Amino acid sequence: VVVPWNQVRRITISSERLEYLSDIDPIQERSRPVLAPGRSWQRDRTVSGLPIKIGDQVYDKGLGFASGMSVTFPNEGLHDLFIAEIGIDIDSGIRGDCEFVVLCENREVFRKRKRGGEPADLIKVDITGASDVTLRVDYGEDLDIADHADWGEACFIQRTK
């Protein structure tokens, strides 16, 4: 079968060197709602339980957060790269404003502000040697109103063996 490249919508890769965070049990979870109702982060869904969608891209794998949430995943130094496509889910419309933060062993290594209606950003964060990685979403304007923060295709990758 030959499929023209412009018709390819998704390629899924399976490898022992790639591990989706939605398949890993976290070692710590925190949620600090201010105005929005208290809820839990979601595996492969938005924080409101819908399919993850940033712009016109739907993600089968990923994590759904609200601002004020943080989740710590074990790494034990096995993986050296964290990759995700970050953004505010389309179910928030043009609302939502928050900061995506990545920490390695409680040391901040990445921060990016995203607003509703913006396209997803592909991020690649070096996590070499980190025993744990924390994903956190900080409040922006309007505190935690409509901050349906998605980490699409969030995964750890082992670049070298």
Side-chain angles (χ1 to χ4, degrees):
V1 174
V2 176
V3 178
W5 185 246
N6 64 353
Q7 292 182 1
V8 174
R9 300 222 8 109
R10 177 179 315 274
I11 296 175
T12 303
I13 298 172
S14 178
S15 169
E16 63 186 33
R17 297 169 98 182
L18 178 144
E19 191 167 12
Y20 288 102
L21 272 63
S22 60
D23 297 333
I24 300 173
D25 290 328
I27 54 178
Q28 185 175 31
E29 305 173 36
R30 292 189 183 160
S31 180
R32 302 177 326 268
V34 176
L35 299 173
R39 50 191 148 185
S40 299
W41 67 282
Q42 299 289 317
R43 298 173 193 262
D44 304 325
R45 307 299 263 175
T46 68
V47 71
S48 57
L50 300 170
I52 295 173
K53 187 174 183 183
I54 306 169
D56 62 355
Q57 179 64 50
V58 177
Y59 299 87
D60 295 327
K61 301 294 286 177
L63 306 170
F65 281 38
S67 57
M69 290 183 178
S70 68
V71 180
T72 302
F73 294 92
N75 180 34
E76 302 169 359
L78 298 175
H79 301 96
D80 53 10
L81 188 64
F82 167 68
I83 295 179
E85 291 194 35
I86 60 171
I88 306 296
D89 198 89
I90 196 153
D91 70 352
S92 292
I94 59 169
R95 307 245 5 230
D97 177 16
C98 53
E99 293 190 354
F100 289 75
V101 182
V102 179
L103 301 103
C104 289
E105 299 175 344
N106 292 318
R107 181 179 50 86
E108 187 175 308
V109 294
F110 174 85
R111 178 180 290 268
K112 173 88 178 192
R113 185 175 188 175
K114 295 295 292 175
R115 293 183 172 102
E118 294 178 347
D121 284 334
L122 174 64
I123 64 169
K124 298 176 184 179
V125 180
D126 187 346
I127 59 169
T128 302
S131 62
D132 62 70
V133 176
T134 300
L135 305 184
R136 187 177 78 205
V137 177
D138 289 346
Y139 311 107
E141 293 177 14
D142 298 329
L143 297 173
D144 55 357
I145 299 297
D147 291 347
H148 295 188
D150 294 336
W151 305 81
E153 302 291 331
C155 63
F156 288 157
I157 295 178
Q158 182 181 16
R159 291 181 284 197
T160 59
K161 266 201 167 204

